[in-house]
Amino acid sequence: MRSNMMNNVLKLIAIAGVLSYAGLSSAADVYLKAVAFDKDIPNNDGMGGSIPVRMWGFAECDSTFTTCDPVSSPGPRIEIDLATDSSLTIHVENTLDDPVSVMIPGLGGDGSPVMFTDGLGRERVRSLTHETNPGEMNSYTWTLRQGTFLYHSATAAQLQVPMGLYGALVVRDGAAAYPGVTPDSEALLLMSEVDPIQNGRVDAAAAGPGLPTQACVPIAEFANDGTPGYPCTIDYYPVITLVNGNPTADLGSAITAGDQVLLRMLNAGQRTHVPSIVNVEMDLIAEDSFRYPGTPRRQAQAALAAGKTLDALIQTASGAANITLSVFDRQPTFNNETIPNGGALGGIIVGTGTPPPSAPTTYAVDDVYTVPEDATPYAGANVLDNDIGLTGPTTVSVVTDVSN
């Protein structure tokens, strides 16, 4: 009797050991270095060219931080498969002058905020998680689930996120983006904005004494006498909207006609944006990485508030092999209106995209003449001589009066 009981216990222990072993999974490790850099953005005053803007960003590195990819903002897109990794650890090396940190809204952190005492003796939060001080390294770990997430600095986020310390995290389970959702392809739209003046002031303040507190220097005071210090974010005035780090971007690749596409939308900016696709409706399925219950919400546009993520399914036409689905912002700020293609956030490229228009075979070429004063009539050259593709008799008419 006792022998049978002991055999059963040993069997249970063996089964439990097998189940425990089968449930083991590994953790993904990502190594990010926080770095200051200058980013050229288009000059949107209509004069062309670009202007350098001081930014902070993340560079992906090897495990020793000795070999790194170029720093960028947004930081590297992190993609994790739950079939392989059930948790994520981001290791951070900080080369900036201020402490930094990393949080992922929607995934639980360590619950250890960093506090400071204001001038009235009150405890206030500077960081929502533990910090990585200048010149040091630290680690941040999360248990993962499927979804679309923003990762960004949790230290003085009102300053450091606009500086560029953010990126996208995509978590799948094999081919499934969410339970029951297995799209044919995906596209990602990560929006943000840039205020060059605020960025320059934050970088300069970080190089000076002190850390960010509730105290700040208004823009009027800075403009009048150049008072140093961290800016008041109520004066935040972005001059350009960025899509995946650029004024406009191609949002997907390897998409073929007839695909069901999952569009992952993220807003790391401080302004609400409203993405809309021309002639295409979106079926919203998730918000802030959580599935909506019931039937997807079919909409022509989606309100993407600051810090929010949305996921939507779109159906591409089976008969359009090569087409670009243009994405616009229905909440226009007109920041990008003077740059090439500045009206569009980007395009979802199906196949090779919409082909460019054919070059014209018949067109007029501008004529420039130096006309002597009071020359009437002026026996100049024929305005048709340098035009292209003209055949047979051609009639010229004045469609607008001369200005003087």
Side-chain angles (χ1 to χ4, degrees):
M1 181 72 172
R2 182 176 297 176
S3 175
N4 290 337
M5 290 178 60
M6 182 61 68
N7 287 337
N8 289 336
V9 169
L10 292 174
K11 290 178 181 178
L12 289 173
I13 293 174
I15 292 172
V18 171
L19 292 176
S20 175
Y21 179 80
L24 290 176
S25 59
S26 62
D29 291 278
V30 175
Y31 298 83
L32 300 179
K33 180 180 291 189
V35 182
F37 70 107
D38 290 324
K39 181 183 183 73
D40 288 334
I41 66 169
N43 189 351
N44 64 351
D45 62 0
M47 302 301 293
S50 61
I51 57 174
V53 177
R54 194 63 171 169
M55 299 193 73
W56 298 348
F58 288 118
E60 187 169 12
C61 303
D62 61 13
S63 59
T64 62
F65 290 100
T66 54
T67 302
C68 300
D69 293 334
V71 60
S72 64
S73 178
R77 184 185 306 179
I78 302 173
E79 302 192 34
I80 305 293
D81 186 350
L82 289 177
T84 305
D85 302 299
S86 62
S87 64
L88 167 66
T89 297
I90 294 181
H91 308 267
V92 175
E93 181 181 15
N94 184 12
T95 68
L96 302 172
D97 294 316
D98 271 358
V100 300
S101 56
V102 179
M103 67 176 292
I104 303 176
L107 297 179
D110 61 5
S112 55
V114 177
M115 314 294 290
F116 73 93
T117 303
D118 67 14
L120 298 178
R122 298 172 298 187
E123 289 289 300
R124 291 176 174 255
V125 176
R126 184 177 70 227
S127 177
L128 295 174
T129 187
H130 62 281
E131 294 180 321
T132 303
N133 291 320
E136 296 182 0
M137 302 179 189
N138 221 328
S139 298
Y140 304 83
T141 300
W142 301 267
T143 299
L144 299 174
R145 56 181 174 81
Q146 289 164 285
T148 303
F149 304 89
L150 274 172
Y151 68 86
H152 61 77
S153 177
T155 300
Q158 75 281 8
L159 298 174
Q160 293 195 3
V161 175
M163 286 296 294
L165 294 177
Y166 61 86
L169 166 66
V170 173
V171 183
R172 307 180 186 87
D173 190 355
Y178 286 95
V181 179
T182 305
D184 299 310
S185 50
E186 295 187 6
L188 188 139
L189 168 71
L190 174 51
M191 302 194 66
S192 59
E193 312 103 18
V194 176
D195 179 347
I197 294 178
Q198 176 172 295
N199 279 25
R201 294 177 64 194
V202 171
D203 189 71
L211 295 173
T213 66
Q214 86 289 353
C216 62
V217 179
I219 187 67
E221 186 176 338
F222 171 76
N224 289 335
D225 55 22
T227 303
Y230 290 95
C232 299
T233 53
I234 195 172
D235 296 320
Y236 177 70
Y237 188 81
V239 300
I240 195 166
T241 300
L242 298 181
V243 181
N244 297 352
N246 297 292
T248 184
D250 293 339
L251 306 181
S253 61
I255 299 175
T256 58
D259 275 2
Q260 184 186 60
V261 181
L262 177 64
L263 177 59
R264 300 181 185 266
M265 298 173 281
L266 311 91
N267 186 2
Q270 309 296 299
R271 299 284 190 265
T272 295
H273 298 278
V274 185
S276 176
I277 306 173
V278 177
N279 293 328
V280 175
E281 291 186 319
M282 299 182 284
D283 288 339
L284 296 178
I285 63 167
E287 179 176 339
D288 298 329
S289 73
F290 290 99
R291 279 292 311 271
Y292 288 137
T295 305
R297 305 177 182 184
R298 178 158 293 186
Q299 300 177 190
Q301 60 193 32
L304 190 62
K308 182 166 288 295
T309 70
L310 292 172
D311 294 275
L313 291 171
I314 63 173
Q315 184 63 51
T316 62
S318 58
N322 300 301
I323 190 171
T324 300
L325 304 177
S326 295
V327 183
F328 292 87
D329 189 355
R330 294 293 297 272
Q331 182 86 1
T333 59
F334 305 106
N335 291 338
N336 295 22
E337 63 179 353
T338 60
I339 62 177
N341 202 32
L345 301 178
I348 298 174
I349 309 300
V350 180
T352 58
T354 302
S358 302
T361 57
T362 303
Y363 57 93
V365 177
D366 291 342
D367 302 273
V368 178
Y369 301 107
T370 302
V371 180
E373 187 175 359
D374 299 328
T376 306
Y378 173 63
N382 191 323
V383 296
L384 302 178
D385 288 346
N386 61 346
D387 294 340
I388 305 299
L390 300 181
T391 59
T394 304
T395 300
V396 177
S397 62
V398 177
V399 295
T400 58
D401 292 334
V402 293
S403 58
N404 52 55

